[in-house]
């Protein structure tokens, strides 16, 4: 959870490392369900392109403190094995939690939870499989990225089917054009916290990623102002996306 001894320079340095991984990445066409083509951009965090470096993990874990506030109440950390499994496991290890990854193939083990999985790449009939969750577990759910929200909805449904409680959800990146956070909220009533928000931008006929906003979560106003001063106006915001207004009300300030 948030360490109020973090200095603005530490946060800025970490932000620059993570933003560089998501910003101005070239996209590549990927065929999804129904033959639809998506503009996909790989990163170190999401796809290990280039390989995930220790400095990147350290930066992500430091910044996660600004968003994850309930880790001390969690009994289990959950992520999913596809793409960002390494960074997910690193974050959950950082908080000292036992952890399990939902999988896209079954083990057949007793107690395995299976739920339907639908996202922009998969046709109907796919499933996600979850092991190691006990009734009453309090879950910190972490993912590298939220896009359409389909995978996140499946993870939430699997945890609920196991009669466990989700106390917090955090993702590093959010592809805003696919409105995944809104979809998750509409389908499950659960809020997702995000750090970086990206859009797609065309440059000379090619499409690139663009980081358009950084959510700085729970941060003291004075430190927020120092951090924000290193970036363009409006780029840094308090809160974790939809939680901004709630935080502004708490501190009695608007930025």
């Amino acid at each position: 959870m948030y360490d109020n001894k973090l200095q603005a320079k530490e946060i800025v340095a970490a932000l620059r490392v993570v933003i560089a991984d998501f910003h101005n990445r070239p996209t590549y066409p990927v065929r999804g369900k129904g033959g639809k083509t998506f503009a996909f951009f790989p990163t170190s965090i999401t796809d290990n392109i280039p390989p995930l470096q220790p400095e990147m993990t350290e930066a992500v874990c430091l910044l996660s403190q600004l968003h994850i506030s309930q880790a001390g109440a969690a009994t289990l950390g959950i992520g999913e094995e596809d793409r960002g499994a390494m960074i997910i496991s690193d974050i959950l290890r950082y908080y000292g939690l036992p952890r399990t990854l939902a999988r896209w193939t079954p083990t057949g083990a007793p107690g395995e939870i299976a739920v339907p999985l639908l996202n922009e790449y998969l046709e109907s009939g796919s499933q996600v499989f979850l092991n190691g969750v006990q009734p009453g577990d309090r879950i910190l759910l972490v993912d590298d990225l939220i896009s359409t929200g389909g995978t996140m909805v499946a993870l939430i449904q699997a945890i609920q089917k196991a009669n466990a409680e989700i106390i917090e959800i955090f993702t590093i990146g959010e592809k805003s054009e696919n409105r995944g956070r809104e979809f998750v909220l509409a389908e499950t009533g659960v809020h997702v916290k995000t750090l970086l928000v990206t859009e797609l931008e065309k440059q000379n006929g090619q499409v690139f990623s663009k980081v358009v906003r950084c959510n700085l979560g729970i941060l003291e106003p004075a430190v927020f102002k120092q951090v924000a001063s290193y970036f363009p106006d409006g780029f840094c915001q308090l809160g974790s996306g939809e939680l901004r207004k709630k935080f502004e009300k708490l501190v009695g300030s608007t930025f």
Side-chain angles (χ1 to χ4, degrees):
M1 61 187 295
Y2 173 51
D3 179 358
N4 60 13
K5 294 182 180 179
L6 283 176
Q7 300 296 309
K9 63 180 181 180
E10 295 177 276
I11 296 170
V12 170
L15 279 174
R16 285 175 169 163
V17 169
V18 181
I19 290 168
D21 195 40
F22 277 81
H23 185 66
N24 207 35
R25 286 279 199 152
T27 67
Y28 305 96
V30 175
R31 285 178 65 86
K33 61 185 179 184
K36 184 177 179 181
T37 299
F38 293 86
F40 176 84
F41 64 92
T43 74
S44 170
I45 286 171
T46 60
D47 300 279
N48 313 132
I49 301 174
L52 184 68
Q53 298 294 325
E55 311 88 75
M56 184 68 72
T57 291
E58 290 168 6
V60 168
C61 288
L62 183 147
L63 294 170
S64 75
Q65 295 180 55
L66 307 180
H67 297 268
I68 296 172
S69 60
Q70 301 298 316
T75 59
L76 181 66
I78 292 180
E80 52 107 4
E81 69 173 353
D82 182 53
R83 299 179 60 197
M86 288 200 300
I87 193 69
I88 293 166
S89 189
D90 285 346
I91 294 170
L92 295 175
R93 174 65 183 85
Y94 180 76
Y95 289 98
L97 289 170
R99 54 206 190 276
T100 184
L101 294 178
R103 303 189 179 277
W104 292 34
T105 55
T107 64
E112 186 169 67
I113 300 292
V115 298
L117 171 62
L118 289 173
N119 62 26
E120 64 265 50
Y121 306 113
L122 300 175
E123 299 285 359
S124 60
S126 298
Q127 290 182 296
V128 65
F129 302 88
L130 184 61
N131 290 287
V133 184
Q134 301 298 320
D137 268 336
R138 299 183 299 280
I139 307 299
L140 171 60
L141 178 56
V142 173
D143 211 348
D144 57 328
L145 185 71
I146 184 166
S147 181
T148 62
T151 302
M152 183 64 71
V153 167
L155 293 173
I156 292 169
Q157 291 174 341
I159 292 166
Q160 292 173 338
K161 190 174 180 180
N163 293 315
E165 176 190 2
I166 298 169
I167 60 173
E168 205 160 19
I169 302 177
F170 171 69
T171 72
I172 302 164
E174 173 191 347
K175 291 185 175 181
S176 61
E177 69 272 11
N178 293 325
R179 303 183 66 84
R181 280 195 303 106
E182 292 90 338
F183 177 71
V184 171
L185 183 60
E187 291 291 310
T188 69
V190 178
H191 289 282
V192 178
K193 299 180 175 184
T194 61
L195 172 63
L196 299 182
V197 181
T198 65
E199 293 178 352
L200 298 179
E201 181 178 63
K202 186 171 286 189
Q203 302 175 24
N204 300 320
Q206 188 174 0
V207 179
F208 290 81
S209 64
K210 180 181 180 181
V211 178
V212 296
R213 187 170 74 252
C214 176
N215 296 321
L216 291 181
I218 301 170
L219 194 58
E220 293 178 358
V223 180
F224 171 81
K225 288 180 179 179
Q226 291 179 56
V227 172
S229 70
Y230 286 86
F231 299 94
D233 288 347
F235 180 79
C236 294
Q237 296 186 8
L238 283 173
S240 301
E242 74 287 339
L243 299 180
R244 182 185 179 195
K245 290 183 179 179
K246 180 178 179 180
F247 184 75
E248 287 175 347
K249 183 178 180 180
L250 178 66
V251 300
S253 301
T254 299
F255 297 88

